Amino acid sequence: MGVCKEQPGVRVALTGNESIARGALEAGVAYAASYPGSPTAEVLGTLAKVAGEFNLYVEWSVNEKVAMEGAAAASFTGLRSLVVMKADGLNVALDFASALALSGTRGGMVIVVGDDPSSHSSVREEDSRNLCKALHLPIWEPSSVQEAKDMTRAAFDLSEQLKLPVVVRCVTRVCHASGDVELGELTRPERRPVFGRDDRVITFSIQLHAQLEQKLSRAAAEASDSFFNGYSGPANARRLVIASGPSAMYALEALDMLGLAGGVGVLKLGTTWPLPETLLLNYLKNASEVVFAEEVEPFVEDNVMALAAGHWNELGSIKFYGKRSGHVAGPAGAGIGELDPDVLAGSLAKIFDVPWAGQTMLTSREAEELLGEKMPGRELALCAGCPHRASFWAIRTALELDGREGVVLGDIGCYTLGIVRTGYYLLQTMHCMGAGVGIAGGLGKLNRFGFNKPVITVVGDSTFYHAAVPALINARYNRANFMCVVLDNETTAMTGHQPHPGRQTTATGGPADTVYMEEIIRGLNIPYAISDPYDVDATINAVCDMLQLSGPRVLILRRTCALAAVKGKEKNRVYVDWDKCIGDDCGCGRFCSKVFACPANIWDAEHGKARIDEAVCNGCGVCATLCPQQAIVVERTVE
Amino acid sequence: MPGQERLKNEIIDGGLCSACGLCVGLCPYIKTRRDRVRVIYPCGLQEGTCYSVCPKTGLDVGEMDRAVFGREREDQALGVLQGIYFARAAGDKAPGAQYGGVTTALAALALRQGLISGAVLTGGEADNPHPALARTAGEVYACAGSKYVGVPTLAELNRALRDGLTGLGVVGRPCQVAAVRKMQQGNLPGAQFNVPGAVELVLGLFCFASLTPDFYSFLSGQVQGEKVIKMDIPEDGPVVETSAGSYRWSMDDLRPYIHKACNLCLDPTSEWADIAVGATEYDRAWNTLVVRSDRGRDLLNLALDKGVIEIKEYPPQRLPVLRRATLNKKMRVLADAEYQEGRPGCPVVPLEYRRQIEEQWGGVSQ
């Protein structure tokens, strides 16, 4: 594959994630760990595929904190290590990361953080740069796929010099973009981990803070000379755009559209933190108007303005435009959502008082007018055959049968869609991985104040290992009264079917010592049961029976992810017997297509009957079980 | 014709559901568990079969008499009847059969003779009853024994009809008999209900009240794990036989577990059944048997010819006792503060019927 090509100088097409992986290989990385999280999940997946060839250890860890701790261990021995996570995952790792910055590292250690402006596949658009600054870690931001590789490689060198981890902060539009990448030379260093009795990596002295500040000063000094900061435009520009990340590309494109490319300078910051102060001051002293282009938080804006304030007597009067001033704003407001060339063009036209003819792209309203009836609306939906849909139907049914108006809590995964129609609006809370279990523990102790409703919390199998176990221990210890439903689809489906400790394979496909969740639950002495969500009636009964119990208890609803289950296999054929289907007369108003609402259950308006979209259907057969007319037929393949 | 939403608000959530089960299985949204009927999802339809067949909605006693028997009743205590007898199964009774074992014998006979294709009734144990469909006489015998918790037996009727069966027999409580008769009057949205001859025989049970599923908690608390063999509610109070002995309570102990709907029910003797069967509370070896329809008369005659049951004259001195019990029940309902004619759960009683109830009750009282 592209990331393995040996010849330096050759150009290949890579995604940003693949490019990061290539950069790590060129740096001679020895140890890579991650917990899956979009937009960066593919970095480790890419490395896993070539681990054998490069004598590389690659691990899917149980959570981001553990991943970082493992990578740090490799670094402590002098090996180069990489840890990859999304911004939410950095929150998980924060406790260790803040201590690690103080203790320092030895071998080069790079932390790749994937931010997700506009929340394409996250619950929030979190800007991790402020966290990394608080951690006292250097932050580099690639603006292109090529830079993703080059920065990752160089970050190992900087980290090794400073003996401090370096963050490469990459946003979705870079991680998932494809670009032409010129490759560098691969290295295969000899690896001799050294960590003897006399070695100490301890976070215990005020002096470490002083040393950390010195490391950052050195990073700042080097930043001003860094290849990754670049300027284009006139000499001594009075009008300047300072941009970081892909916003730098957007700025160049926007200025070109406005015809201002010759008159406005663009300073691209790659080494976002610490600021390249000397470099910045050099350009600020000639500038009278400065525009900041960056996504989400005004991180560069705030820090550069603070820098300028400290040098006001040298710089004179400068007018700053950005999120703070409200000038750089997208449709949702300043600092909300992604930028794009169009948004920036509108902002710059306003700031520089340049006529702007308007968008070259259609607005969504115009698109709607043009496409009108030809483009149906689409809502978020679980995949056809998703066992979570069957689980949600069973839980919802069981709660109604129980009649006590029980509450249902959730967290993050594919099953987050339990908050919308496809999940029958079942879930009532949604925060971060495993939070539902902790909240259930709290609700489960409020009986002393008169709260007596049944409490159910839903957690995925991967999240069970990631974050739910401590909350279950706490519940057992404190005798909290709730039911935890583990939706075990036997994979980390949402981010691309990565394995986890409950499975029998590792990231590189080798054998694993499986950690069965049943054994953990038994070890906690918590009662549990197992049911197949495709067997809807049995699952309804299982939920109802368990609702009658008290104390902490667990129900495992186990069925392989429908997409994983049908990979490379022949699907069951499911179709509607039109002689039995009663169409609109169905007493429930088209139960299968309107209410159960699997994407494969569609309505044939011409015939007034339900139909199965065979291209979409994964053959689970749950709709056949639920059809009140028994009109849906499943022809099972021989397994 | 209202639908699911009103059924849910007025009857199910209003505590007026006696769990007959006929609304269960018509669509995916009404289900039952441990004899509790629940709406699990709103269907959004304005009209529904579920509301129409519910015995607690729109029930007019006079209209039902005319629809089922073609005439109005004269006897307000027992309803329309052609004869009332002491009856019991001849020969060996089914193990566990209550009193005379007549219901079991009649249902089994109808199956053996091909009068019905299957019998919908309540099977299981006293502490774990469930709806059942018997296709053979043997399966009927396996279901013998009275159950006192209201079981949604008619859910099984819906399942049988959906599976294409017709010519079924039903054994049910008075509310279940009323529901089936409503169903038979036809013109309902559901396709399966418009099949001619879906139900060919209705055997009704006497029932002055049925218990809610909460009774199970009471029962298991009392017997503490012992196996329940049999339960009965004779004149001197409820009694349960377990593997370790007997438990006895007063009727007041069970009052909290009586379905609220039963307090508003005017029919303790399955007044629209072909044949109604109850305990005699006089001689434990015999049942009370009331023949109400021509079909019931034919079945009784066949049973006598085949020698599966025997009958004798209802003792003259006992008839007033039975009449007093039923009229007391009706007067209690009419006097109940919650009873308002036309209200959900409250059957409509024609003025003439009401006058006759009071008149006949006065007569028996003396």
Side-chain angles (χ1 to χ4, degrees), chain A residues 574-577 580-581 591-592 601 610 612 621-627 629-634:
Chain A
V574 182
Y575 63 94
V576 177
D577 179 348
K580 289 185 178 177
C581 177
F591 168 72
C592 58
N601 290 123
I612 305 296
V622 172
C623 60
T625 299
L626 295 176
C627 173
Q629 301 302 320
Q630 296 175 331
I632 302 178
V633 185
V634 182

Side-chain angles (χ1 to χ4, degrees), chain A residues 393 396-397 400-401 403 424 541 544-545 586-589 591 595 626 628 630, chain B residues 8 26-29 31-33 36 38-43 45 162-163 192:
Chain A
W393 183 260
R396 188 201 153 101
T397 301
E400 287 291 346
L401 290 172
Y424 316 115
N541 284 332
C544 283
D545 288 341
C586 191
C588 50
F591 168 72
V595 176
L626 295 176
Q630 296 175 331
Chain B
K8 179 179 194 291
L26 298 177
C27 72
Y29 306 128
K31 287 187 182 296
T32 178
R33 174 171 167 90
R36 217 186 294 270
R38 300 288 300 169
V39 173
I40 66 167
Y41 205 92
C43 69
L45 300 179
R162 197 175 58 216
D163 287 348
Q192 70 259 45

Side-chain angles (χ1 to χ4, degrees), chain B residues 186-259:
Chain B
N187 298 317
L188 299 170
Q192 70 259 45
F193 282 163
N194 293 313
V195 176
V199 175
E200 289 287 353
L201 177 69
V202 178
L203 299 179
L205 305 172
F206 282 21
C207 175
F208 282 77
S210 66
L211 302 172
T212 68
D214 295 334
F215 172 72
Y216 295 128
S217 303
F218 169 84
L219 181 59
S220 64
Q222 295 283 311
V223 306
Q224 287 164 30
E226 296 166 21
K227 177 166 170 52
V228 173
I229 295 174
K230 191 171 183 176
M231 178 174 175
D232 197 6
I233 306 186
E235 196 164 23
D236 49 351
V239 59
V240 163
E241 291 177 23
T242 70
S243 49
S246 291
Y247 291 80
R248 188 174 289 272
W249 306 282
S250 75
M251 199 59 208
D252 283 339
D253 292 324
L254 264 57
R255 208 165 296 283
Y257 306 108
I258 291 174
H259 272 292

Side-chain angles (χ1 to χ4, degrees), chain A residues 91-140:
Chain A
N91 295 335
V92 176
L94 212 56
D95 193 3
F96 179 70
S98 63
L100 182 64
L102 279 172
S103 77
T105 50
R106 187 167 149 207
M109 179 175 174
V110 171
I111 301 171
V112 174
V113 180
D115 282 6
D116 190 16
S118 282
S119 300
H120 292 294
S121 55
S122 309
V123 298
R124 56 202 160 180
E125 50 175 6
E126 177 173 0
D127 192 329
S128 61
R129 295 177 298 175
N130 282 311
L131 283 183
C132 294
K133 179 189 175 188
L135 291 170
H136 291 66
L137 295 179
I139 308 165
W140 286 1

Side-chain angles (χ1 to χ4, degrees), chain A residues 432-449:
Chain A
C432 61
M433 295 180 71
V437 187
I439 295 172
L443 289 180
K445 292 301 297 182
L446 299 184
N447 51 303
R448 65 166 58 204
F449 304 115

Side-chain angles (χ1 to χ4, degrees), chain A residues 234-479:
Chain A
N236 304 321
R238 297 186 53 76
R239 299 191 291 189
L240 183 67
V241 175
I242 300 178
S244 68
S247 300
M249 303 302 193
Y250 303 151
L252 291 170
E253 191 171 331
L255 290 171
D256 195 56
M257 289 193 291
L258 292 170
L260 292 174
V264 178
V266 176
L267 177 58
K268 175 182 74 69
L269 295 189
T271 66
T272 306
W273 186 258
L275 292 176
E277 295 183 357
T278 304
L279 178 74
L280 281 161
L281 290 171
N282 189 49
Y283 286 98
L284 288 174
K285 72 188 179 191
N286 295 308
S288 59
E289 293 176 293
V290 175
V291 182
F292 295 99
E294 60 188 324
E295 289 176 321
V296 191
E297 303 292 340
F299 180 84
V300 170
E301 180 176 344
D302 285 349
N303 287 291
V304 169
M305 288 198 293
L307 173 68
H311 293 85
W312 68 271
N313 53 334
E314 310 161 32
L315 299 177
S317 171
I318 301 176
K319 194 166 175 70
F320 291 108
Y321 302 89
K323 294 182 167 52
R324 295 298 183 198
S325 64
H327 285 89
V328 178
I336 312 294
E338 289 174 312
L339 296 181
D340 62 34
D342 223 40
V343 168
L344 263 187
S347 302
L348 293 171
K350 183 169 58 177
I351 293 167
F352 296 138
D353 195 24
V354 170
W356 169 232
Q359 290 92 350
T360 56
M361 293 179 289
L362 300 172
T363 64
S364 58
R365 183 181 54 81
E366 286 169 337
E368 281 169 26
E369 286 173 6
L370 277 177
L371 296 168
E373 300 157 12
K374 295 181 180 175
M375 180 176 281
R378 291 189 186 278
E379 60 181 326
L380 291 171
L382 295 162
C383 303
C386 180
H388 300 339
R389 174 181 290 101
S391 297
F392 289 149
W393 183 260
I395 294 170
R396 188 201 153 101
T397 301
L399 282 171
E400 287 291 346
L401 290 172
D402 180 81
R404 290 180 287 165
E405 296 183 14
V407 298
V408 190
L409 319 176
D411 59 55
I412 295 170
C414 294
Y415 52 94
T416 286
L417 294 184
I419 66 176
V420 295
R421 190 171 84 98
T422 193
Y424 316 115
Y425 304 103
L426 185 70
L427 301 186
Q428 296 168 250
T429 66
M430 216 261 290
H431 294 89
C432 61
M433 295 180 71
V437 187
I439 295 172
L443 289 180
K445 292 301 297 182
L446 299 184
N447 51 303
R448 65 166 58 204
F449 304 115
F451 184 83
N452 291 310
K453 296 187 175 194
V455 177
I456 295 181
T457 182
V458 171
V459 78
D461 48 331
S462 191
T463 303
F464 175 85
Y465 298 99
H466 183 282
V469 172
L472 284 175
I473 293 172
N474 192 64
R476 174 77 176 86
Y477 176 66
N478 291 295
R479 299 186 182 176

Side-chain angles (χ1 to χ4, degrees), chain A residues 598-623:
Chain A
C598 176
N601 290 123
I602 58 180
W603 183 252
D604 188 320
E606 181 183 346
H607 296 92
K609 301 281 186 177
R611 192 154 66 81
I612 305 296
D613 183 340
E614 295 196 356
V616 172
C617 177
N618 285 310
C620 72
V622 172
C623 60

